[in-house]
Amino acid sequence: MKAGFFLPAALACLLSSSVAAKTPVYEPLPDELRTLSKKGLDAIYAVDLDEANKQFSLALEKYPEHPFPTFGIAMAKWAHLEYLEDESDPKLEKEYSALTDKAVDVGNAWIKKHPGDANAYLALGGIYGLRARLAVQQRRWFKAYFDGKKGISNTRMAARIDPELYDAYLGLGMYEYYAGTLPGVVKFLAKLVMRGDAQKGLDLLNLCREKGYFNALGAKLLLIEIYTQPGSKYANTTMAVKWSRELRAAYPVHAQMHFVEIVSLYEDKKYDEARKESLLYLKAVNDGVPAYRRRYLPRVFTAIGTTYLVEKKYAEAADYFARAAATIKEDTSVHPARWAVWAIVRQANVLDLMGARDKAVALYKEAKTYKNEWGFHEFIDNYLKKPFTEAELPGSLPPP
């Protein structure tokens, strides 16, 4: 679930490497740095990125050589790209890439001098994870592989130095779960080193959710994403709805948490409730509620359209998909939004279901004129070969 924030990063976590035989002497994280970093991360999850940058910049002034501040600044840039621009801003991608490169240099330099700093290994693992995640988005598979390998290696070292550093179990749980469930060549590569255990991964993620200091919320969001994967034997949509509602209560004016709830309701087949929440979300955008940016219109239009699609109300679905797609032309100076491009594909799906194959093919071809930066072309090619059918419903609410 793209609203849950973590699934693309899973591909970056699929290989690990061995660690040194001797475990270094533990070095604690300074209390002040721990507090500043927690405030910064909390601000990222609250999508208060000015506050996040303020806290991490203050940490950088006081601890310029430690990897936590540079990692935090890079993560804030990732949040801007992911949360505010929906992975649809090439300029931000370049800035984000440069920040992660800098953070890797800082992290490696620190660890050479402080080999017992488990939190530094945790941060460095996270930095490599951010770099690998960007490589996955850009379909740079070898870079994603090598950065992901380094990310898991550093995270394993963090847990080895301090087994009670529960935040490390976010990355390790991701590895175990996705190595144990992803099909195809990625899973094959993972098995070259070790076989993932999906249930162990879920156990580690829940441990992080219960006991983590920095990553408890991240683990909860990832578990919601896992529990809402269509067709997965590990799906638990009832729990996903329960937890997403807890997050809405904790973050009442938070567009991302609101959308997590919408996706959870949809995957729990509560289509009326998902549409009701989507319409409230749309009202918040139209009313100018600060957290609800107009950039989010394509996603909420597509969500509403998808709730109609699954109910086979094709005219209503087509209307909302068309509204989402139309946002591309509102300001041609802005990079097309991922959800808006996917809405064109969804429009074509509806036309297939209505028997208008020629019009559907035209829209599939239109969607394919956009750069394949989100991996849509594989799906479009399949639809060009064979019409979309009702057997493929309900499908996932977010784009693939």
Side-chain angles (χ1 to χ4, degrees):
M1 171 178 59
K2 213 57 170 177
F5 315 145
F6 292 99
L7 182 56
L11 293 175
C13 296
L14 289 179
L15 283 170
S16 63
S17 60
S18 61
V19 295
K22 184 177 180 181
T23 302
V25 177
Y26 173 74
E27 297 181 36
L29 188 69
D31 288 341
E32 184 181 31
L33 178 55
R34 178 180 171 88
T35 299
L36 289 170
S37 298
K38 183 66 164 66
K39 289 180 178 178
L41 286 170
D42 286 348
I44 286 175
Y45 282 118
V47 199
D48 185 350
L49 302 187
D50 288 340
E51 179 64 19
N53 280 307
K54 174 185 172 183
Q55 296 297 330
F56 285 120
S57 294
L58 181 58
L60 185 63
E61 289 177 12
K62 298 187 175 187
Y63 302 91
E65 296 182 355
H66 198 280
F68 257 45
T70 49
F71 171 47
I73 291 169
M75 191 172 178
K77 185 65 69 174
W78 162 78
H80 190 167
L81 176 64
E82 175 87 8
Y83 300 165
L84 302 185
E85 300 300 333
D86 202 19
E87 299 180 10
S88 305
D89 189 325
K91 180 176 178 290
L92 275 177
E93 277 193 8
K94 291 179 181 178
E95 295 173 3
Y96 163 55
S97 179
L99 285 171
T100 57
D101 289 345
K102 179 181 178 182
V104 163
D105 291 341
V106 171
N108 282 320
W110 178 268
I111 281 174
K112 285 181 181 178
K113 298 177 182 178
H114 303 271
D117 190 338
N119 283 280
Y121 279 105
L122 176 68
L124 188 56
I127 293 164
Y128 277 118
L130 284 179
R131 268 207 332 192
R133 185 191 179 286
L134 179 60
V136 167
Q137 285 179 223
Q138 298 170 337
R139 303 298 190 268
R140 299 164 66 193
W141 304 118
F142 284 105
K143 180 170 177 56
Y145 161 74
F146 286 111
D147 280 342
K149 180 177 180 180
K150 292 174 183 176
I152 291 299
S153 176
N154 280 284
T155 306
R156 286 188 180 283
M157 179 58 95
R160 180 173 183 176
I161 294 171
D162 182 5
E164 294 186 359
L165 183 58
Y166 297 108
D167 294 302
Y169 298 127
L170 173 63
L172 299 180
M174 286 173 66
Y175 168 79
E176 290 288 349
Y177 177 79
Y178 287 109
T181 58
L182 282 179
V185 65
V186 177
K187 187 172 182 179
F188 170 75
L189 288 173
K191 287 180 179 179
L192 293 178
V193 178
M194 67 171 288
R195 185 183 301 271
D197 183 332
Q199 187 56 56
K200 178 180 178 182
L202 293 175
D203 292 343
L204 290 173
L205 289 170
N206 272 298
L207 183 61
C208 180
R209 177 184 62 83
E210 293 168 0
K211 296 188 177 183
Y213 180 70
F214 296 115
N215 290 338
L217 179 53
K220 189 171 190 174
L221 286 165
L222 179 55
L223 284 163
I224 291 173
E225 183 169 309
I226 289 170
Y227 291 161
T228 54
Q229 288 302 301
S232 170
K233 71 176 184 178
Y234 299 102
N236 187 343
T237 55
T238 300
M239 185 62 73
V241 169
K242 178 179 181 293
W243 285 350
S244 65
R245 284 174 168 162
E246 290 174 359
L247 292 175
R248 280 293 307 285
Y251 298 89
V253 187
H254 192 301
Q256 298 301 328
M257 300 303 182
H258 195 172
F259 206 73
V260 168
E261 181 184 20
I262 290 167
V263 175
S264 298
L265 288 167
Y266 175 88
E267 299 299 345
D268 200 36
K269 303 188 186 306
K270 293 181 170 63
Y271 303 125
D272 285 343
E273 291 184 56
R275 184 161 54 245
K276 177 183 175 182
E277 289 298 332
S278 296
L279 290 168
L280 289 173
Y281 189 110
L282 177 59
K283 184 178 186 301
V285 174
N286 288 332
D287 288 349
V289 176
Y292 290 77
R293 295 158 56 90
R294 288 195 64 80
R295 186 66 161 164
Y296 300 156
L297 279 174
R299 74 164 60 175
V300 70
F301 282 144
T302 302
I304 296 168
T306 306
T307 65
Y308 281 122
L309 175 62
V310 74
E311 293 178 344
K312 302 180 183 179
K313 297 177 180 178
Y314 298 141
E316 293 91 338
D319 176 58
Y320 276 99
F321 292 144
R323 293 192 206 185
T327 62
I328 295 175
K329 296 180 173 61
E330 285 183 357
D331 185 350
T332 55
S333 66
V334 177
H335 192 74
R338 180 173 62 96
W339 282 84
V341 176
W342 184 245
I344 300 173
V345 180
R346 279 309 207 181
Q347 276 184 282
N349 290 161
V350 172
L351 288 168
D352 267 338
L353 293 171
M354 297 175 71
R357 179 61 177 166
D358 289 345
K359 291 181 180 179
V361 167
L363 282 179
Y364 289 133
K365 290 180 177 178
E366 178 185 337
K368 200 173 177 182
T369 64
Y370 293 94
K371 186 177 178 182
N372 191 31
E373 53 192 299
W374 305 292
F376 294 166
H377 285 193
E378 176 185 351
F379 296 89
I380 295 170
D381 287 340
N382 288 334
Y383 295 141
L384 285 169
K385 293 175 185 175
K386 185 178 179 181
F388 185 86
T389 68
E390 288 184 353
E392 298 174 70
L393 297 175
S396 174
L397 189 152

